[in-house]
Amino acid sequence: MSTTLLRTFQPNQFSLLGTSLLRRRRSNNFSVRFCGSQTTTTHEAKQSSPTRVAPKNHKSNKLDEILRDYEAVIGIETHVQLSTLTKAFCSCSNNYGSYPNTSICPVCMGLPGALPVLNSKVVEFGVRLGLALNCDLSLKSKFDRKQYFYPDLPKGYQISQFDIPIASGGYVDLDIPLEFGGGHRRFGITRVHMEEDAGKLLHSDTGDYSQVDLNRAGVPLLEIVSEPDMRSGIEAAEYACEMQRIARYLGVSNGNMQEGSLRCDVNISIRPIGQAEFGTKVEIKNLNAFSAISRAIDYEISRQALLYNQGKADQIVTETRLWEEGAQKTVTMRKKEGLADYRYFPEPDLPEVILTKEYVDSIRASLPELPEAKRRRYEAMGLGMQDVLFLANDVSVAEYFDAVIGKGAEVKLAANWIMSDIAAYLKNEKLSINDIKLTPQELAELIAAIKDGTISGKIGKEILFELLAKGGTVKGMIKAKDLVQITDPVEIEKMVIQVVSENPKQLEQYRSGKTKLQGYFAGQIMKMSKGKANPGLLNKILLEKLNAKD
Amino acid sequence: MATRALLAVISASPNRCFISPSRIKILQSSTSSSSVHFHRHSRKIHRIARSYSSDSDSSVLQPPDVSRLAQTARISLTPAEIEECETKIRRVIDWFGQLQQVDVNSVEPAIRAEMDGGNLREDAPETFENRDSIRASIPSFEEAYLKVPKILNKE
Amino acid sequence: MLSTLQPPRSLSLLPLRRFQISKTIVSAASSKTIDTSVISPPQSQILTTRRSLLSGETTAVEIAKSYLSRIRLTEPQLKCFLHVSENVLKDAQEIDQRIAKGEELGPLAGVLIGVKDNICTQGMPSTAASRILEHYRPPFDATAVKKIKELGGIVVGKTNMDEFGMGSTTEASAFQVTANPWDLSRVPGGSSGGSAAAVAARQCMVSLGSDTGGSVRQPASFCGVVGLKPTYGRVSRFGLMAYASSLDVIGCFGSTVADAGMLLHAISGYDRFDSTSSKQDVPEFQSQFPSVDHFESKPLNGVKVGIIRETLEDGVDSGVRSATQEAASHLEALGCILTEVSLPSFSLGLPAYYVIASSESSSNLSRYDGVRYGNQVMAEELNKLYECSRGEGFGGEVKMRILMGTYALSAGYYNAYYKRAQQVRTLIRKDFKAALEQNDILISPAAPSAAYKIGEKKDDPLAMYAGDIMTVNVNLAGLPAMVLPCGLVEGGPSGLPVGLQMIGAAFDEEKLLKVGHIFEQTLKGSSFVPPLLANVA
């Protein structure tokens, strides 16, 4: 998902600053330090990265020079909305898109006397994600109250975890797509904690009031806090992508950014290269797409670097900025006056969350193969990085691919079918790979049928689309449509002789030098064989006949 | 010991006082002791009070700023209320100061009475039947939404 | 299960015989020998009701009418109720219909129960005596109320209290001041003053209160009734409007130990809507209430009772002290082994309690913002809406505690106040644990004094807080405790009751009830009926 999204960036979608920055980042890739976490990889850089290079722009040269002197320090807070059936602390359904204020009860409405009761699934998901992010788990964690007044927060406090999160001290490994310079990265995970979501506020454009929908109030979230290990917009976007991927692999969230199921707040500061202490930290919110993360950060890096360069570093203040998608820039939302005091204290209404070793072990045992492990396995199978990233990107695609090769299909061929024709079909039909009727078993059959010459590649493609849409078996379809490739030279020769004799004029032209006409003959013969003639054999015999001196 | 707490209460009053007539009256009503009896203990009170005020831990804590607290707690107070609250709260907070003396090194805080953890809930949806009544109690409810004054920027 | 109990000897529904006191301090138990022939032990109203309903001697409607008429007569003076249910007679009729049909009766069938106004009753006003919840009717019953109803109990109405439980006199109600039935110029105690006074005045048979720092036990002492504060987690808090969540428990009032115990049994047990409720078994307390005829000569032989030294030192009313000492002697006469125990952390409980309670309350009361329920003050701007709704909705004491709690939880103060108080709580818990390893129960006065005058401590928070010294530690430790009348001291037209507090080990309410019942049934002339009732009975 991420990769494809990033791949669809058009250079002109970037602001001037963004473009030049992106270019700079790529060219400087190996000079940037990655907190000692960059691991050496054996990726071949054989694929040439598609387009992306923006035309050299003189105006951006100066900025490029400025940017070269600074290093960005980026950390991300990711909120993952969990796909539980019920809310975190009450039994109301956790449904996106319900009619406003219908999925409510005394607990999530904060009625007097109502008490929270923790959903066991939230703990399970917290442990799953914690393990997937290589964290240490707290066998005894607790909930705390984070207090502030807001109309979308019914109780006047959010139940969250403050000083003892369920998981902490982990990391995530990912691969930067080749078109962005490639390379393997490891980013630290500070912590993962459980908390509840707030409701939704709608601001009417006309009226002098706001509206509150509390359906979302109390929906469970896992907040993932990264170490400040990222150095560019691309890294940050790839990190966010990997969070989405992991959440989807684990089945803990649908990770949908548009619905707000995955939300990223970015903390960013820059400092002159070589300086040890961090610069002033700015928070960016309202990042609703991975591309927005990347562009907002690159914009912000440029903005801050320019201020530094112009001696206006004091104008970089601790604040929250909003990404404005339309204007492609960040704007001040509010300045922070000192640290907000949320008056955290332990939530007395909830017992501590106790994890037993057996429980953790059972969850560990049930974890699926995670994206990083998948990528390394695919790489070891000999697939190129582009294929690896494509296949491992979507868990359903990866599972499909694994099933196909599990049925014995050749790895590279299976990858090609999935990445080209099937991917195109999915895109056109707006389907997911889970929707298609072609089973992995049959794709493996199809690949085998082509490989062993039972059918031609061309016929293979034709029946692929029928199998995708209608299902059925490859063998059945070959039989029903009589599609078995003609590989008998005698039979092909008969057709060649017939076609050649029926086209004396073309034969004459061919023999007088218009050798391109071979294609014409081949087409006619293929047509006669209803596409079943083995193309190699056909051409071999055709050439013999055309060039024969009779 | 009960006495110590009572005395500590007294020591926290702003004028360290027990000379205030109202206070004496209170003590007389809650104890049947004579004022002589009471005075016998007043020296002890002094000692406790001194030891509190010399305690550095409590002295670095800023006294409460009632107006700011009221703002944080979203409670409007009249100037008269602020004044009244300020006196009372300062006295109580001073009195809380005695906790600074307790040696709690290596004592684990207790969130509540001892209890088993857990009591988690199955992830099974249930509809609260009386939702109409919840919505009917909302003071400003319009077109399926709660209505609040316009909010520009969050937090 | 109730039918296995001995029927009470008196058939009177309302044991209203007055208890004469002498001019001086009355000691209820001066005799060292137990002579059951000369005493008239109080009767369980729950059992009496059940027996008379089952025998057809009377009907639930008749009983309900007699209580409603007493409410009509006494309420103008007492003001115990903020709301009296319109459905009492209808509910009683249903009980009578069940009896007529020969259907099985729940153990609380026809029992008239007052419910403190901070405990949610579906469709019935539940305001916690706060202006901010005026007219609020919850969409659900508290678990305790639900259980009561399921067992046939009839909710008479909602009792007055200090706003959100914050107070010790019931004067901090936004709506009315409740008078003590023993002396109308005195407070009934608090915060469950309405529930205590209503039982004392026999406006209901039993009642529910809540106890955060003594709010059941102190008014029980002031009003001469039994007040039972269960172990934290014994009774679900679901539907109890939170004051200090780590301390709050729903408790029971009755005119006898048996009544309080049976009501507790009805509401106890794990509740899936309160994850701090305990899965500990709830024993059948009823076996602890044998008839006095069945007592042995030393019915409490070998029971180890520790008297808490710190609760009898200076600062405690001498009448209270001697009543407690007399009570201890009475226990000794019943066979108990009495020793003095010391709880070194005792005096720290009071400030620790007030830090914790105000901190938690500042958070628990954030939900009262005028947006989703309760009284809203319309405003152009959001913060104005909050500030005015809360400023106008909360009373002075509530505002003060919220502000103190906000202060104590602020960054930079948390460690000095809230965390430190939690550490002190650990010390207190340890001291109690040690004392209860040596003893079956601990005893102390319920309060440093008997009921005082209305208005006497209203403007002096520290003087008011000091009155909670006997009870707050028990909440900090989460232990069960019961207060039962043990004597009268001088004051009012005919003396003022004084309560004895018995503290037990966690989840050992059974022992408290056993000791309490025998104590009560053997206490000489132990019918604690306020003078008010002499005029209306």
Side-chain angles (χ1 to χ4, degrees):
Chain A
M1 187 67 177
S2 74
T3 330
T4 47
L5 248 175
L6 289 170
R7 276 175 188 162
T8 59
F9 287 178
Q10 294 304 309
N12 60 8
Q13 277 187 313
F14 285 87
S15 66
L16 182 64
L17 301 177
T19 310
S20 59
L21 189 84
L22 177 61
R23 206 170 65 245
R24 183 190 72 86
R25 283 292 153 193
R26 281 202 286 131
S27 55
N28 284 357
N29 189 42
F30 296 103
S31 67
V32 181
R33 281 193 316 111
F34 288 100
C35 294
S37 61
Q38 188 174 1
T39 55
T40 47
T41 56
T42 55
H43 307 158
E44 324 155 53
K46 62 177 182 192
Q47 293 102 327
S48 60
S49 60
T51 58
R52 213 66 51 237
V53 179
K56 267 281 178 197
N57 186 324
H58 285 292
K59 281 183 214 163
S60 67
N61 278 351
K62 189 162 170 257
L63 183 64
D64 274 0
E65 275 169 37
I66 295 168
L67 288 171
R68 213 162 286 141
D69 300 332
Y70 297 95
E71 175 189 52
V73 178
I74 300 158
I76 298 186
E77 287 166 20
T78 310
H79 287 89
V80 179
Q81 207 176 69
L82 301 183
S83 54
T84 50
L85 297 176
T86 65
K87 293 186 179 183
F89 300 110
C90 64
S91 301
C92 286
S93 345
N94 172 14
N95 278 339
Y96 179 80
S98 300
Y99 189 74
N101 294 303
T102 55
S103 202
I104 53 169
C105 77
V107 178
C108 56
M109 283 289 282
L111 258 50
L115 294 170
V117 181
L118 178 59
N119 182 346
S120 53
K121 207 76 181 172
V122 176
V123 178
E124 186 191 319
F125 284 2
V127 171
R128 282 174 83 82
L129 190 61
L131 289 174
L133 295 174
N134 309 292
C135 290
D136 296 326
L137 295 174
S138 306
L139 293 182
K140 196 168 158 187
S141 69
K142 67 177 174 68
F143 283 98
D144 301 274
R145 293 184 182 176
K146 178 182 181 177
Q147 309 192 69
Y148 61 93
F149 286 90
Y150 214 62
D152 62 6
L153 191 68
K155 299 184 293 297
Y157 55 83
Q158 178 194 30
I159 302 178
S160 182
Q161 294 193 293
F162 181 50
D163 52 344
I164 312 177
I166 190 161
S168 55
Y171 61 86
V172 62
D173 286 313
L174 53 83
D175 294 285
I176 303 290
L178 291 163
E179 61 267 39
F180 301 121
H184 188 261
R185 301 281 189 280
R186 173 169 291 185
F187 299 127
I189 301 293
T190 312
R191 56 184 282 161
V192 178
H193 71 253
M194 306 179 275
E195 62 183 26
E196 58 179 337
D197 209 343
K200 257 188 203 145
L201 269 173
L202 293 94
H203 308 289
S204 72
D205 294 328
T206 49
D208 54 351
Y209 58 91
S210 296
Q211 295 176 310
V212 191
D213 174 11
L214 293 173
N215 281 346
R216 201 179 64 182
V219 163
L221 300 175
L222 288 173
E223 180 176 332
I224 308 161
V225 182
S226 82
E227 289 291 308
D229 287 353
M230 286 146 271
R231 296 290 175 268
S232 69
I234 287 299
E235 286 188 355
E238 284 302 320
Y239 166 87
C241 254
E242 187 71 3
M243 291 301 123
Q244 182 190 58
R245 215 172 276 133
I246 290 172
R248 288 178 174 174
Y249 266 62
L250 294 171
V252 301
S253 172
N254 67 27
N256 190 323
M257 285 188 106
Q258 274 67 47
E259 290 176 9
S261 304
L262 186 86
R263 307 196 283 271
C264 295
D265 297 337
V266 167
N267 284 305
I268 172 168
S269 64
I270 70 167
R271 59 184 171 189
I273 284 176
Q275 180 181 306
E277 57 270 26
F278 293 131
T280 305
K281 192 170 77 179
V282 168
E283 187 183 20
I284 313 176
K285 283 182 182 279
N286 198 30
L287 299 167
N288 296 323
F290 298 118
S291 57
I293 293 174
S294 169
R295 280 179 271 150
I297 288 172
D298 289 343
Y299 175 88
E300 190 59 24
I301 291 171
S302 304
R303 186 186 73 89
Q304 293 186 22
L306 280 173
L307 286 172
Y308 258 109
N309 187 252
Q310 293 161 7
K312 296 180 191 162
D314 58 333
Q315 287 183 19
I316 305 169
V317 293
T318 308
E319 61 177 341
T320 299
R321 297 179 71 87
L322 279 187
W323 172 246
E324 288 198 340
E325 191 66 42
Q328 292 286 298
K329 61 179 196 171
T330 65
V331 294
T332 298
M333 179 174 130
R334 68 191 140 81
K335 310 258 187 225
K336 290 183 178 175
E337 287 158 14
L339 276 177
D341 182 3
Y342 292 115
R343 286 168 289 122
Y344 278 102
F345 78 104
E347 166 58 280
D349 287 332
L350 290 167
E352 283 148 331
V353 180
I354 312 283
L355 306 177
T356 62
K357 194 179 165 295
E358 293 72 38
Y359 178 78
V360 174
D361 287 345
S362 74
I363 289 182
R364 198 191 306 272
S366 75
L367 288 182
E369 184 181 35
L370 290 162
E372 174 64 7
K374 233 178 236 308
R375 288 190 296 260
R376 297 289 76 85
R377 181 162 62 83
Y378 290 170
E379 200 179 23
M381 282 159 51
L383 289 172
M385 188 47 62
Q386 207 155 8
D387 297 7
V388 167
L389 293 182
F390 183 97
L391 292 169
N393 180 48
D394 181 317
V395 65
S396 307
V397 172
E399 277 167 5
Y400 191 91
F401 171 71
D402 283 339
V404 174
I405 58 174
K407 296 290 176 190
E410 194 181 296
V411 169
K412 184 65 191 167
L413 291 175
N416 286 345
W417 278 98
I418 291 170
M419 290 174 62
S420 54
D421 297 289
I422 294 178
Y425 174 80
L426 296 178
K427 198 179 166 196
N428 288 338
E429 303 291 318
K430 296 194 170 67
L431 293 174
S432 108
I433 200 156
N434 297 324
D435 301 327
I436 60 174
K437 303 263 168 49
L438 173 69
T439 62
Q441 166 79 48
E442 291 309 314
L443 180 57
E445 293 277 351
L446 185 66
I447 291 167
I450 295 166
K451 202 184 170 201
D452 69 17
T454 309
I455 56 172
S456 66
K458 185 159 177 283
I459 285 192
K461 261 189 197 188
E462 277 168 29
I463 66 170
L464 173 79
F465 290 103
E466 203 162 338
L467 289 166
L468 283 169
K470 295 181 189 152
T473 64
V474 174
K475 283 203 176 85
M477 204 165 286
I478 290 172
K479 201 175 168 193
K481 299 199 168 183
D482 189 21
L483 298 174
V484 179
Q485 186 167 234
I486 301 165
T487 49
D488 179 358
V490 180
E491 203 173 326
I492 292 173
E493 191 176 4
K494 272 187 203 161
M495 289 189 277
V496 172
I497 291 168
Q498 190 182 339
V499 168
V500 171
S501 64
E502 280 171 3
N503 295 282
K505 207 172 148 196
Q506 284 82 357
L507 181 65
E508 197 175 315
Q509 286 172 341
Y510 176 89
R511 286 184 174 163
S512 60
K514 269 188 120 175
T515 51
K516 269 197 284 185
L517 277 170
Q518 185 198 343
Y520 168 78
F521 285 104
Q524 293 299 308
I525 298 159
M526 198 50 102
K527 201 169 160 190
M528 178 178 274
S529 77
K530 290 174 188 145
K532 293 187 291 180
N534 178 302
L537 216 47
L538 184 151
N539 278 311
K540 184 173 162 259
I541 296 170
L542 177 61
L543 270 179
E544 280 170 19
K545 294 294 168 198
L546 289 175
N547 298 334
K549 310 253 162 97
D550 28 23
Chain B
M1 279 310 222
T3 333
R4 252 189 56 197
L6 289 170
L7 298 179
V9 164
I10 295 150
S11 74
S13 57
N15 41 3
R16 294 279 183 265
C17 68
F18 38 87
I19 45 160
S20 138
S22 67
R23 179 153 310 282
I24 287 173
K25 203 177 113 214
I26 287 153
L27 272 160
Q28 279 172 336
S29 70
S30 64
T31 70
S32 61
S33 58
S34 68
S35 59
V36 176
H37 171 79
F38 175 68
H39 273 292
R40 190 157 51 80
H41 287 273
S42 58
R43 244 168 271 122
K44 192 161 142 198
I45 298 163
H46 264 305
R47 192 167 45 75
I48 294 167
R50 260 200 312 276
S51 64
Y52 290 164
S53 54
S54 65
D55 184 62
S56 58
D57 269 347
S58 58
S59 63
V60 297
L61 297 167
Q62 295 297 308
D65 172 345
V66 168
S67 304
R68 256 190 68 194
L69 289 174
Q71 207 180 359
T72 307
R74 303 289 192 277
I75 296 175
S76 67
L77 293 177
T78 63
E81 279 179 312
I82 292 179
E83 203 174 321
E84 193 195 339
C85 266
E86 199 122 57
T87 322
K88 285 185 177 175
I89 290 178
R90 281 193 184 209
R91 279 180 58 203
V92 179
I93 301 275
D94 276 355
W95 173 65
F96 285 167
Q98 65 184 288
L99 291 175
Q100 308 310 319
Q101 286 193 311
V102 187
D103 179 13
V104 288
N105 269 341
S106 71
V107 177
E108 274 296 305
I111 295 172
R112 67 175 84 69
E114 262 168 299
M115 62 164 55
D116 326 317
N119 292 350
L120 270 57
R121 184 171 59 76
E122 287 299 309
D123 186 27
E126 281 172 45
T127 304
F128 181 70
E129 292 303 335
N130 216 353
R131 285 174 298 169
D132 288 342
S133 164
I134 294 184
R135 285 187 289 258
S137 294
I138 298 171
S140 305
F141 192 67
E142 230 179 73
E143 295 161 15
Y145 291 98
L146 292 86
K147 200 172 148 186
V148 293
K150 189 159 183 98
I151 297 151
L152 299 170
N153 277 340
K154 186 165 173 169
E155 288 167 271
Chain C
M1 58 189 157
L2 286 171
S3 54
T4 60
L5 288 158
Q6 296 297 317
R9 286 173 305 171
S10 159
L11 297 185
S12 158
L13 262 177
L14 304 164
L16 294 182
R17 272 160 296 118
R18 287 288 315 286
F19 170 47
Q20 296 301 319
I21 58 159
S22 64
K23 281 276 164 61
T24 55
I25 292 161
V26 176
S27 108
S30 48
S31 154
K32 288 256 171 188
T33 54
I34 306 301
D35 179 0
T36 52
S37 62
V38 297
I39 58 169
S40 50
Q43 308 298 313
S44 155
Q45 298 195 57
I46 293 177
L47 293 179
T48 308
T49 301
R50 183 173 187 82
R51 189 204 41 73
S52 54
L53 286 181
L54 288 175
S55 69
E57 186 187 318
T58 184
T59 64
V61 169
E62 274 176 57
I63 297 172
K65 277 182 178 164
S66 78
Y67 274 83
L68 287 174
S69 85
R70 191 155 43 247
I71 288 174
R72 265 193 300 278
L73 282 167
T74 55
E75 192 55 8
Q77 292 164 284
L78 291 176
K79 300 198 179 74
C80 296
F81 284 93
L82 291 172
H83 174 84
V84 175
S85 167
E86 313 87 49
N87 295 328
V88 173
L89 289 179
K90 202 182 112 242
D91 294 346
Q93 256 161 15
E94 273 173 38
I95 301 287
D96 287 335
Q97 281 162 7
R98 289 182 74 98
I99 296 171
K101 286 185 206 156
E103 286 172 359
E104 206 174 312
L105 283 189
L108 294 180
V111 173
L112 296 155
I113 303 169
V115 175
K116 191 175 178 179
D117 203 37
N118 61 349
I119 300 173
C120 290
T121 43
Q122 185 172 342
M124 194 186 283
S126 305
T127 69
S130 181
R131 192 71 68 192
I132 207 160
L133 285 177
E134 200 174 1
H135 311 305
Y136 173 69
R137 289 168 191 258
F140 65 98
D141 274 328
T143 299
V145 170
K146 190 163 164 268
K147 287 186 169 198
I148 281 173
K149 287 182 177 173
E150 281 166 3
L151 299 179
I154 299 169
V155 174
V156 180
K158 304 306 291 289
T159 59
N160 196 25
M161 56 184 285
D162 290 297
E163 185 178 359
F164 286 109
M166 298 181 191
S168 309
T169 62
T170 311
E171 293 166 284
S173 164
F175 305 113
Q176 63 196 32
V177 174
T178 299
N180 189 318
W182 290 80
D183 176 352
L184 297 176
S185 69
R186 289 175 192 267
V187 298
S191 66
S192 313
S195 283
V199 169
R202 307 302 192 261
Q203 292 180 326
C204 55
M205 298 175 191
V206 290
S207 63
L208 293 182
S210 66
D211 191 316
T212 306
S215 285
V216 162
R217 289 160 289 158
Q218 182 255 25
S221 177
F222 281 18
C223 293
V225 296
V226 177
L228 180 52
K229 174 232 176 271
T231 312
Y232 185 86
R234 178 62 103 185
V235 177
S236 168
R237 292 185 293 119
F238 187 73
L240 170 65
M241 298 178 189
Y243 161 18
S245 312
S246 73
L247 304 164
D248 293 340
V249 288
I250 291 181
C252 306
F253 290 99
S255 55
T256 60
V257 171
D259 284 342
M262 283 184 277
L263 182 59
L264 175 65
H265 187 265
I267 63 173
S268 290
Y270 172 70
D271 177 17
R272 69 188 179 98
F273 294 111
D274 174 6
S275 45
T276 64
S277 68
S278 169
K279 286 180 174 157
Q280 289 262 348
D281 285 341
V282 183
E284 290 290 341
F285 301 138
Q286 278 84 347
S287 58
Q288 305 303 331
F289 312 129
S291 159
V292 73
D293 301 339
H294 294 72
F295 289 170
E296 295 156 17
S297 66
K298 296 267 184 194
L300 293 176
N301 207 16
V303 174
K304 286 183 270 179
V305 175
I307 183 160
I308 303 171
R309 182 194 302 152
E310 289 81 0
T311 63
L312 290 174
E313 292 183 346
D314 305 322
V316 179
D317 187 288
S318 62
V320 170
R321 203 181 316 156
S322 51
T324 308
Q325 277 153 354
E326 298 285 359
S329 307
H330 181 56
L331 284 169
E332 227 167 3
L334 291 167
C336 294
I337 304 158
L338 213 70
T339 51
E340 198 179 75
V341 297
S342 172
L343 302 175
S345 60
F346 191 82
S347 72
L348 296 171
L350 203 56
Y353 166 80
Y354 273 97
V355 168
I356 292 172
S358 40
S359 297
E360 292 184 10
S361 75
S362 74
S363 174
N364 284 328
L365 270 60
S366 291
R367 64 184 61 197
Y368 305 104
D369 59 6
V371 172
R372 293 167 315 287
Y373 46 80
N375 284 333
Q376 179 182 89
V377 177
M378 290 282 249
E380 294 284 297
E381 202 254 314
L382 179 67
N383 279 337
K384 275 276 160 299
L385 182 151
Y386 285 148
E387 286 165 6
C388 295
S389 298
R390 289 163 65 79
E392 289 178 22
F394 291 140
E397 183 65 27
V398 170
K399 286 180 194 173
M400 201 174 96
R401 292 199 194 181
I402 291 176
L403 297 181
M404 291 194 303
T406 304
Y407 173 78
L409 289 178
S410 297
Y413 300 85
Y414 178 87
N415 284 342
Y417 294 113
Y418 191 74
K419 189 179 171 201
R420 211 156 242 275
Q422 301 276 43
Q423 288 169 312
V424 167
R425 186 204 295 239
T426 302
L427 298 178
I428 288 165
R429 224 156 68 172
K430 277 184 186 157
D431 283 353
F432 267 116
K433 206 169 179 201
L436 283 163
E437 271 161 15
Q438 306 296 317
N439 293 282
D440 292 301
I441 64 164
L442 305 177
I443 60 168
S444 79
S449 74
Y452 41 85
K453 294 280 189 182
I454 290 169
E456 193 175 313
K457 299 189 183 180
K458 209 169 176 243
D459 293 317
D460 188 342
L462 291 180
M464 180 95 79
Y465 300 172
D468 299 333
I469 182 71
M470 303 296 174
T471 46
V472 293
N473 287 284
V474 174
N475 296 77
L476 289 169
L479 301 174
M482 182 167 64
V483 163
L484 66 172
C486 68
L488 296 175
V489 296
E490 214 170 348
S494 53
L496 298 171
V498 166
L500 175 72
Q501 175 172 236
M502 298 177 173
I503 303 163
F507 297 103
D508 198 4
E509 286 87 357
E510 215 174 351
K511 201 173 281 161
L512 291 180
L513 291 167
K514 177 187 175 182
V515 176
H517 174 74
I518 291 170
F519 179 92
E520 164 198 87
Q521 296 291 310
T522 54
L523 198 62
K524 208 173 159 193
S526 61
S527 210
F528 285 88
V529 178
L532 178 89
L533 288 183
N535 311 322
V536 297

